[in-house]
Each structure stands twice: as structure tokens, then as C-alpha cells.
Amino acid sequence: MKQTRRRDNEADASPRSRKTHAAKLLLLGVLFHAIYAVSIFDIYFTSPVVRGMSPAAPTLTPPARRVVLMVADGLRADTLFANASRAPFLHSIARDHGVWGVAHTRVPTESRPGHVALLAGMYEDVSAVTKGWKMNPVEFDSIVNASSAAWTMGSPDILPMFRHGADRPERIRMDMYSAEEEDFAGKHDASALDAWVFDRFEGLLRAASAKRAGLPELPPPRNEVVAASEETHSTDANLIADLHQDRVVIFLHLLGLDTNGHAFRPHSDPYRNNLHLVDDGIRRTTQLIDEYFGDGRTAFVFSADHGMHARGNHGDGDPQNTLTPLIAWGAGVRGPLAVTDGAFRVAPDGSLESEPDTYPGVEPPPAAWPLHQSALRRDVLQADVSPLLASLAGTRIPSNGVGVLHTDLLADSKYAFDALRANARQIMFQYLTKAQQRREREPWYRPYPPLAQLEESADPASWVQTHGETSEQLRAFIQECLEGLSYLQKYDWLFLRAVVSLGYVAWMAYSLSHVTVPESLPRRRPYAATVAVCAVVAVYLWVKHAPATYYLYCGFAAYLVDATARRIAGAPRATSPSSSTGRRSSSLPAIAAMVAYVVGLECLVASYEHRGILAVLAAGLALWPFVPASSASKSAHVVPECRSWRAVWSGSVAMAGAATLLPPVGGETDPFQLGGGAALVLALSWLWSRRPTSNATSRWHCQLRFALAVAATANVAWIVWSLGQREGLPPVAQAISWCILLASPATLFLGESSSGATSTSSLDPVERVADVAAAMAPLFILLSTAYELAFFACYATACVAWAGMERATIRTTSTATTTSLAPGDVRAAFTFLTLIHLGFFGTGNIASLASFTLASVYRLVTVFAPFLMGALLIVKILIPFVVASGAFRVVAHVRALSLRRFLATSSSSSGSAMVDPFALFLVVVSTCDVMTLHFFWKVRDEGSWLEIGTSISHFGIASGFLVFLFVLYLACGLVLGNSLVHVPQSKLA
């Protein structure tokens, strides 16, 4: 009796208690998915930085006293090597005096990771993204830090990280322009940034010459675009002495190409003209150095941190981003590699390849590069540049580097072997240090088998002497050490993957248990077995000094498994075989729907790589209301409203799906596509404001939103014209854009009383969803560049029509089910998922980082600000989510309300979870983790960098996808407010 009364009390729980329970579950879901999304970094991308290694440097006299590294930020390899007329000096160097090739980068192809690879020889600690790729989350060693003195000139986004954390920062001089000069609007020619760097370096040598001759320093050349620093080099008392030391490093960072590439695209004249300026600046710099020092002891290396996609962006593993040029010449560098029959290039692993390599998007292909006719191409990995720089200058090799010296790049074979041996010692010391750290915290440590004897050796330094008598042996030993480092990096893979997989499965089971066993009365205390297992795991993690995230992964998995078991154990039993049989028979359609749902999920997984699949799914959803057996088709015969919504839904969702058959939105602003989309949005907004069912206040709100959309359209036209004339972003237009950005969403909350009741806004939930779409339209106008605005008009119309059609259909449906999940619920959940993915991939495949185009944010900000620009891009992505989430919340509510009415009038006493709108949302989020888990196991760290980057992006999107769903579900509840309780009855025809 007591248990029965408790169940009755829970069945009669107030809406407030249900909301509290839903809020707790939402919070748990957000925390779980946010924490588990970080697991990919613990598994695949832990920090490579360790300390305590012995320094390793060549023992012989180096060929160069100084090394000059010049990095053209964002320079594509094909742009340089296929345009001899734009870079005659560099082509002559590669053809007649030095070596040339391609430095293959790895993801993420961003400025900071690329420079870290070039100067530190290691691949970026991914946690640096939390610093905006600027400052160091972990201090690391670099060729700059290893030098006796260094001069760095260029961007404030790059230079400080090589001084921050240095053991003697006073010996590292920095000369930077202001961050405000990095303007992507194209008001000023960004090549002026590179001219400023060359002028400042010329001023350095001129100041040194004047000090050496006892003459006053001449003022630096005036740059009309970039404001020069007022500091002069004459105040540097140690300038002459430091310049003439051994192991000097000069680093020139040239940002103009990257900025012009973002603003005008890499195939534009400003980008190629910038290359000509860089080429001439390098010629002039080389001449000045030779004239000033006159000792022939300077080595030069020219490269890039990453390439540039044709759309004007970078970040992913597309070959347009990963192929960067490399040219080395000067002291210690051998001359051009002779072209031999049957050899096209030397691959990074040292093998000769006879067939030309081809890459999608790289035009012209490498086979058409003229340098192939004169000298053999020598390719390297980007991290291999670091030991090359260290060997040329004779500095220690950066301690955490994983680059390998290619001895065929050096002129002196004896010195090259000595430098390679130093490279082997450096990587060996790194492996031994990491192995010792792992041994100290692992209760059952297992060494890397090929290096087990090395770890037991009493004198590891002698190991290189005895096991590296030839270059081939040294390279094989280095490869073994690199594989050992990878083994240590992945040491916890099996444990973490198992725990994370268990956590995702447990979350799916736990969230679905609130749907399948809604009447469960679980025990409050966890099972003793769970407590025992948690204690054992905690001790294990404590012994191995595991980070806090390991405890969170295990704790979440244990809690969810235990909570699911307690809910299942607390579920009520069937009282009679007859009722059980009836429930099984009524569940058959739901089971069939779930099978179709799983098939649909796999189709959505495939859409991450093939956007066109979404067009097929959208076409299927457009045809569904016309299937005779569908509830929408049956309702259309008796409800005129349903017929109207059905027609709007089918047309709009089909047109939105057709957008996936178009090429992704590019980086260029297309005025005709943008204008057509704006006209469609304005027309729909005007028609909605003139609907006959609106009252005066609601009409005023709609007209206000329409006015904001008109203002946004006019402002965008002004900005596009100004940027096209290369006049930059007008300050007034920028201020108007920010006002519209803030004012448009605020219109959703007009007319709310202090009590929270909506007094002037429409209380019709479908109209409220349309209000949300109208409020988001001005924002989307500001952030659009091409046909995505027309897509949004069709997409938002489809979302509103879906909510209206489902409401009209559910109010005329006379049948219901007492099972927890009906086929209509499954269909509604899949429709929502399809709409979300359609909004995500409708105008571009943003599973690739290169699909993010900065042109979308130029109406609000043009000066480089990674966090702000990233936030604005996320806002653009989330706008379709907001509209679809609002429509889904209405659909979930009306379906639950219909079932609640059925249960109230039927003789069945069994409850159903689906009387709560939140249950349908749980169906969506729990099954979404099927995709998340799918992508989790597909993440890879081997293969091409395009494949690696894509697999990482897919998992990141799927994980963030669910976090956004939780947040937007809560946000839509606030926006829709009390409109959900007003669902008037339809009048039958």
C-alpha cells in the first residue's frame, strides 16, 4: 500500500516538480557532455612538453654563426613555386644556390602551431586554443631560447610566445607593430606589414653600422601605413657584441600574405603582389646581411607556417593548407640536389619517389612547377625545420622537438653526421625522461619493448655511440625513439577509451530510462558494488597520479551505470499476462519506428562527409505529409489549417534541402545572391507582420523586427561597397551593426510584465516560433555572404510550418498509445535531428575548419581577434538551431498535451513518460550519442592530415552539438514562455 501511494503521489506530481527534475537532468547532461568532449585531448592530444632533459647540441664547429628564419604567414607552396615572375630571387636561389622543397604541416593549420613546429620542433599543445593561439599554456623550448642572442620582428600575435618563459628573456629582442594594424578589411595594403618588418631589420643593421663607426643613428625609413615604433636600436648597449656572437638567431615574421589572403583570397592580385614584395624584401635583407657581416657565415631558411584555402581561410588538413614552401641557402647548406632519371622528389622519409604527387585544390599541380626542371625537390615535415636551424647555427636542439635532421640538406657530411647524432641524443633523452615519469606513477609499468634495454642501461648517452655508427643506424634509432614517444603518449588509450565508451552508453541508457520506465521509484543509495568499484578505481588513479579529468570520466560512468540500474530495479512490474501481451503488441509499431530511426541516424552520420544525403532526407520529409497513411494526410481532409501548413512545409523543407546540392558558401561576398536572399527574408518578414490574426501590439513588434531587417540589409550593402572600394569598415556602419546585433534578439522580450507573463506578445506557440525566426533574421543578414540568407528564409519557414502542421495534426488525432514511445514521437525526433543537421550543413561542410570564412564577421570586426571572431561565427551557426529548437519544443508540447488528454479520458490507468514534453527531448539527446560514440571511435591520429583533422572535427561537432541542444532547449523555454500553455482547439471543416 505504501509503495502504491508513493507511485500515486509521483504520478500526481506538480508541473513545478517535473520542471525541477527536467532542469536537473539538463544540467547533468550539459556537464556530462562538456566534460566528455574534453576526453579527446586526454586520449589523443596531451601536452608533449616535459622538462629535465639533458641538452643535445653538435660537438663540432657549426658552419654558420647566425641563422635567419623568414616565415611568410599563410603562403601556399603552389603560389610560390608556380610563379617565378612574382618571386624571381627565391626561384634563383632554389635553382642555383640552395635546396628547395615542401614542408608538410599538420593540423591545426594555424599560425601559432605552425610557428611552434618550425622553431620548437614539436606539434602544438592543443590546450593553447584556450589562449587564442597567442600565449603559452605551457612554456616550451625553442631555437630562439637556445640562441646566444635573438632578434624577432613581426606580429604581436606570434613573437611574445617565444620570449615568454625563456630562461634568459633579456637576450631576446622583439620589435612588433600594433595589433590594430592587422586589419582584414583591406583598407590598407597588408603588404605594408611585411615592408615594415624589412625596414625595421634594415634599421637594426644601419644602427649597428653607425655604432661601429661611431656615427649617430639615422631615422628608420618611414612607413606611411604602419606606425613605426619610436624606440631606436642606438639605446642597445650590447648591440654590436651580441650581433657578432656565435649561435645568433634572427626571426622575421611576415604576416602580410595571410592578411591579404583572408581579405582578398590567395589567388588575388593583392596576395600575389604581396609575394613579390616579400621576394624583394628577402633579396634586400640577404644583401644587407652579407654587406654588414661579410664573413659568409650566415644561413638562411625561408618557409611558411601554413597555406591558405582558396576560400581565404585555413585550419584543417586540406592540402592547400598543409603544403608550405621551404628554401634554404647560405653557410652550411648544400647546393641544389641534382635531378636524376626516375626521381621526382625526395619524400620526408628520405625515399625517392618517381611519380609526381597530386593534391586536390593545389593548382597548378607540383608536376607543373618549373623548379622541377632544375633541381630535385626535397620534402620535409614541418617539425624537421627546427633541427635544421639548430644544426646550422650550432645551438642545442629544442628539448621537446620531434623533428629529424635530414643530412642531405647540409654541405659537410662529417658535420651532418655529428648533428644527426645530437638529434638522436635529444630525442632519446626526451623518451627516457617521459618513460621515467611514466614509470614513477604507473603501478604496473610496461616499457616500449624495442627500447626496454635502453631504459635499463646505466649509461644511455653511450647507447647512441654504440648503436649509431652510421647515418642509417641513427635514423633507425631515432625512429624507434619517436615510436616510443608515441607509445608513451598513448599509454592510457585502452583505459580511457573503455571508460569514455562506457560513459556514453550509460548516459544513453540512463536518459532513455526516464522514457521507458517513467514510474520508477529508484532507491536513493548507490549499490555497494558500485561504491567498491569506485574505491578501487580511485586508488588506482591516485597511485598513477592521474589528472582530475580521469576521476571525472570514471565518476560519471560509475554514477550513470548505478543510477540506470537503480531505475530499472525500481520500475513497476506488469500485473497480468494479458496486460503485458497487449503492451507488447502495441509496442511493435514503435519498435519498427525505432529501427527506421537508427537507419536514419546512420544516414545523418554519412551526411558529415556527403552533404547531399540531407537533400534526400529533406525530400522524404517533404513527401511524408502526402502519404495516405500519415496522420498529416488524414488531418488535411478535415482541417484546412493542416492543408495550408502541409503545403508550406513541403515546399520550404525541400528547397532548404536542395541547398546541400550547391557548392559550399565561399569566402567572397556575392552581392546578387546576398541581395536575393535579403529580398526573400524581407518579403517573408513583411507578410508575417501583415497577417490578419495579429493584434496591434504584436503587429508593432513585427514591424520593428522588419525595420531592423531593412536596416541590416542597407548597412550590409554599405559595408560591402566600402570594403570593395578598399576603404575599410566604416565606424558608423560598424556601430550600427553592433546595435542591430544586440537589439534584434531583445525584441523577443518586449511587452513582458514583471511577473513574467507575456501580456502583449502573441500567446500562440507557432506564432511565437515565427517571432523567433523574425528576430534572428537581422542577425543572419549581418553575418551572411551569399546564398545562405535565402537558405535561412526557407529553413525558418520550414520550422514554423512543421510546428503548425504537427499542432494541427495532433489535435485531430483520435488515437493514442499507452506505450512510452509512439511511432509519431520517433518521427518527430528524427525530423528535428534532420532539421538540425540541415541547418548545420545546409550551406557548407563545416566538419572542415576551412569552411569557416572570416568574411562573415567583417560587418562587425576586421581587426584580428580570435575569440570575438570565433564567437560571432558560432552565433551564425546557432541561429538556425534556435529556430529549429523552438519549433521542436512546440511539437514536443502539443504531442504530450494530446497524450495527456487521451489518458485522462481513457480507462487505462498506466502512466506514460510522453505526457511530459521533456521526454521527447530525451529521446533525441540519448540517441544522438550513438553518432557521438561512432565518431569517437573513428578519431585517428594516423594517415593524411586531412583524414586526421576531419575525424577530430566530426567528434568535436557531435559533442558540441549535444551541449548546444541542452542550452538551446532551456533558452527556448524562456523565449516561448507561457505561449506553450495556450493550444486552442481546431475547428473541423
Side-chain angles (χ1 to χ4, degrees), residues 66 89 201 205 283-300 329-331:
R66 66 202 68 86
F89 178 75
F201 182 73
L205 295 186
R283 177 195 60 77
R284 184 160 52 99
T285 298
T286 304
Q287 181 179 355
L288 288 171
I289 289 176
D290 290 341
E291 290 175 355
Y292 175 77
F293 291 103
D295 56 2
R297 299 284 303 277
T298 306
F300 300 87
W329 71 99

Side-chain angles (χ1 to χ4, degrees), residues 833-858:
L833 281 177
T834 303
L835 285 175
I836 287 293
H837 282 80
L838 188 59
F840 214 58
F841 295 110
T843 59
N845 182 12
I846 62 171
S848 165
L849 288 176
S851 293
F852 291 96
T853 169
L854 291 179
S856 297
V857 305
Y858 288 167

